Amino acid sequence: MDAEVFDIGNTDIAWCPGCGNFPILKILKHTLAELKIEPTNLVLVSGIGQAAKISHYFRTNVFNGLHGRALPAATAIKAANPTLTVIAESGDGDMYGEGGNHFVHTIRRNPDITNIVHNNMVYGLTKGQASPTSQVGFKTPVQVDGVFLEPFNPLAVAIALDAGFVARAFAGDAEQTGQILKKAVKHKSYALVDILQPCISFNRLNTYQWFEENCYYLEESHDPSDRNQAFKKATETRKLPLGIFYINSKKHSFEENIGALKQDKRPLYERELNIKQLSVLIEKFKSTN
Ligand SMILES: Cc1ncc(C[n+]2csc(CCOP(=O)(O)OP(=O)(O)O)c2C)c(N)n1
Ligand code: SF4
Ligand SMILES: [Mg+2]
């Protein structure tokens, strides 16, 4: 399958030339094409921000919702139709800040979705305020003396919550990022891929060069089934490890656990609406209230 099936044709892309969002868009299209996922069987769910605009630039089913709210919408879409491939994709601010509560509880629910986070360590769309992953000392027009809060560590949180699949990638490495995304999409429960991505306009600290110099790939000997080792690696901050930190394939997904899908595997749209049963339920509810 050709990655061009996901192209939307002639449109203005509102990202700055050189932005790390471009390679992520390209890598994802190629990954999905390699996996032979048809645009009709895919749903891309995003929130608000520069990264969240990715849903505008993809020819597929999309849901571009409220700030920080991509994950509950993605969970519901997957539960309503488990035959779909569902990707929830947004920025570090959207997923870890405004959507932080959903991030935690989606990992607990464990739906079979892929959660891709464009982590540029800044609020790009709103012109450069610190985000939850901004580094200590990062100066912005708001944090004039530099950020003094310790950055949020999404990988350590996800591993602590025993997420199904936890990885970190770099937008500047198409080959490795594609390999990681392929495994994440194939994984049969919640999968987090935090992609380090330069914002060339508002983050002059974490540049392409900075990521090249401050990241390294996990050693071949790293065992992703070893949760303690994965946690230890996730808490390394001197240099940032890249790769697949943790996989737990034993967990049942949300869709495997919910009663409505245990009794009947069909997506909701294929089922008959049982009006009679519904009216009995409503009448019963009325009489008890
Ligand atoms: C409820 C709400 N709060 C704040 C905003 C303003 N706002 C829009 S995007 C954004 C930050 C997005 O940052 P991030 O998710 O990191 O995306 P980026 O632009 O960096 O890709 C903020 C604070 C908003 N639109 N809605
Ligand atoms: S402001 Fe930053 S994140 Fe937004 S498009 Fe420009 S470079 Fe990319
Ligand atoms: Mg951001």
Side-chain angles (χ1 to χ4, degrees):
M1 201 171 128
D2 203 313
E4 283 176 11
V5 294
F6 296 108
D7 288 352
I8 43 156
N10 223 356
T11 190
D12 273 348
I13 296 200
W15 293 328
C16 314
C19 172
N21 282 316
F22 284 103
I24 302 178
L25 174 69
K26 193 170 169 193
I27 298 164
L28 184 61
K29 283 179 180 175
H30 280 271
T31 303
L32 294 168
E34 276 179 44
L35 291 173
K36 299 191 171 40
I37 294 169
E38 297 287 343
T40 46
N41 287 334
L42 172 72
V43 188
L44 204 56
V45 187
S46 67
I48 300 295
Q50 296 283 25
K53 289 181 193 163
I54 195 156
S55 59
H56 304 192
Y57 308 141
F58 237 92
R59 192 180 141 262
T60 186
N61 306 291
V62 301
F63 184 94
N64 185 198
L66 298 175
H67 203 11
R69 305 294 181 261
L71 287 170
T75 304
I77 291 165
K78 184 70 185 180
N81 188 348
T83 67
L84 296 168
T85 297
V86 180
I87 296 179
E89 186 160 2
S90 263
D92 45 319
D94 194 51
M95 285 291 178
Y96 305 142
E98 284 77 4
N101 176 28
H102 295 300
F103 177 65
V104 168
H105 294 288
T106 302
I107 296 173
R108 290 183 54 239
R109 278 190 194 102
N110 197 31
D112 178 15
I113 63 172
T114 311
N115 187 183
I116 301 174
V117 184
H118 300 213
N119 185 358
N120 54 11
M121 304 176 172
V122 71
Y123 279 174
L125 186 73
T126 46
K127 302 197 182 328
Q129 303 82 6
S131 85
T133 55
S134 293
Q135 301 217 310
V136 172
F138 176 57
K139 288 192 179 159
T140 82
V142 178
Q143 288 81 19
V144 286
D145 292 327
V147 170
F148 56 83
L149 300 180
E150 282 299 323
F152 179 71
N153 186 330
L155 282 85
V157 170
I159 295 165
L161 289 166
D162 201 14
F165 183 106
V166 182
R168 179 157 58 208
F170 170 47
D173 186 345
E175 174 56 32
Q176 291 294 330
T177 301
Q179 294 301 330
I180 292 169
L181 279 179
K182 215 188 274 177
K183 288 183 184 147
V185 174
K186 277 162 79 178
H187 180 80
K188 285 281 153 226
S189 71
Y190 172 88
L192 171 68
V193 186
D194 180 85
I195 307 184
L196 300 174
Q197 173 231 312
C199 165
I200 58 158
S201 298
F202 297 110
N203 187 341
R204 303 290 167 96
L205 173 65
N206 309 107
T207 58
Y208 280 97
Q209 192 185 342
W210 187 93
F211 285 118
E212 298 276 0
E213 289 169 1
N214 288 280
C215 296
Y216 76 96
Y217 280 97
L218 288 166
E219 300 81 9
E220 293 251 320
S221 58
H222 178 76
D223 173 6
S225 69
D226 183 338
R227 193 168 165 209
N228 288 334
Q229 195 192 6
F231 190 80
K232 220 169 148 196
K233 283 285 169 193
T235 50
E236 269 185 27
T237 49
R238 203 177 58 79
K239 288 222 172 196
L240 301 174
L242 302 170
I244 299 170
F245 286 65
Y246 183 59
I247 301 178
N248 181 350
S249 314
K250 295 193 192 103
K251 294 182 81 171
H252 288 292
S253 69
F254 181 62
E255 303 80 60
E256 284 168 331
N257 278 329
I258 49 179
L261 286 166
K262 268 188 184 160
Q263 292 160 14
D264 185 346
K265 297 262 178 275
R266 287 175 306 160
L268 292 190
Y269 82 93
E270 281 182 14
R271 304 182 193 195
E272 283 151 29
L273 184 62
N274 193 334
I275 301 279
K276 212 166 163 192
Q277 204 179 1
L278 199 61
S279 61
V280 170
L281 272 175
I282 292 169
E283 288 311 319
K284 211 164 131 191
F285 178 78
K286 276 193 199 156
S287 62
T288 54
N289 284 280

